[in-house]
Amino acid sequence: MSLTLLAAAAAAVAATVGYLASRRDREAEGATGEEALRAASGAPGGAPWDELPFALGDVVLVGSEERWLAGALVARERGELVAVVFLAPEGAAQGAVVTFPEPRREILWLLPAEVDAPDEPPATLEIAGMTLRRRARLPVTLERVGQGAPPLGDAGIIALYEGGGHDAAVVLASEGRIHAWSGRRIDGAGYERLGGGGEG
């Protein structure tokens, strides 16, 4: 009789362990949006998405254009968040959506740009017929998260540019490399966050 009870108890324990393991596997397979990107990229749990209008994995809509935020470059000055350059694959190119911590709600809707610049972002940029003047130049620490973020060092310079109308550009300089994007500023009413994977 005692052997029968022991066998039944062992079977119950095995069934419980099997159920918990299969549940854990299903939950891991069901990870989407920010969780999946964080798992793939090794992004830290303290990513600053709660300070921003968007998070990794969100889809952002401006007019008829939408961008899936697959990766990001996080820029901080003395530990304080300055800006995040979200990156969105668009065929062979890669669009960018730049956000700032609250209370700023405008975003920059940008595409990659070629600039002739040394290690230091210049005071004025000429891009595709636009003349843009530097409005901010900040030494920052840089963190790459998600997918598709370009290689940069742990520190660098971020420069923000403005031109006529809504023209805007961002230049990141780090370890002798320059990455630049140009496009336009969009105010807080001009875009829509669709949420992770487009499921708002």
Side-chain angles (χ1 to χ4, degrees), residues 7-198:
V13 168
T16 302
V17 168
Y19 168 77
L20 292 175
S22 69
R23 182 176 170 187
R24 185 179 63 239
D25 291 343
R26 281 196 312 274
E27 289 174 352
E29 288 171 4
T32 59
E34 181 183 349
E35 292 175 4
L37 288 168
R38 183 176 291 156
S41 66
W49 315 136
D50 58 344
E51 299 180 52
L52 301 167
F54 312 126
L56 277 182
D58 283 351
V59 174
V60 183
L61 184 67
V62 171
S64 61
E65 296 180 79
E66 64 178 42
R67 290 181 180 170
W68 172 56
L69 309 181
L73 294 165
V74 180
R76 291 185 174 89
E77 182 186 27
R78 298 190 196 98
E80 295 294 321
L81 183 65
V82 170
V84 174
V85 180
F86 285 104
L87 300 161
E90 294 186 359
Q94 195 171 49
V97 180
V98 181
T99 62
F100 307 95
E102 294 183 346
R104 290 181 69 176
R105 301 301 294 171
E106 80 270 17
I107 64 171
L108 306 181
W109 192 260
L110 311 175
L111 288 171
E114 291 290 331
V115 298
D116 294 324
D119 293 347
E120 175 68 24
T124 303
L125 284 179
E126 293 279 345
I127 300 175
M130 298 184 296
T131 300
L132 302 115
R133 288 186 168 71
R134 193 176 66 202
R135 298 300 182 199
R137 176 204 173 278
L138 300 167
V140 292
T141 58
L142 296 167
E143 179 185 5
R144 299 167 65 227
V145 293
Q147 304 167 359
L152 289 168
D154 294 334
I157 302 291
I158 186 169
L160 305 175
Y161 294 81
E162 293 179 3
H166 294 279
D167 295 343
V170 172
V171 173
L172 274 173
S174 175
E175 295 185 346
R177 291 187 292 265
I178 293 277
H179 294 278
W181 301 266
S182 67
R184 64 192 193 274
R185 287 190 312 279
I186 308 291
D187 66 28
Y191 61 85
E192 184 179 355
R193 174 186 183 180
L194 301 182

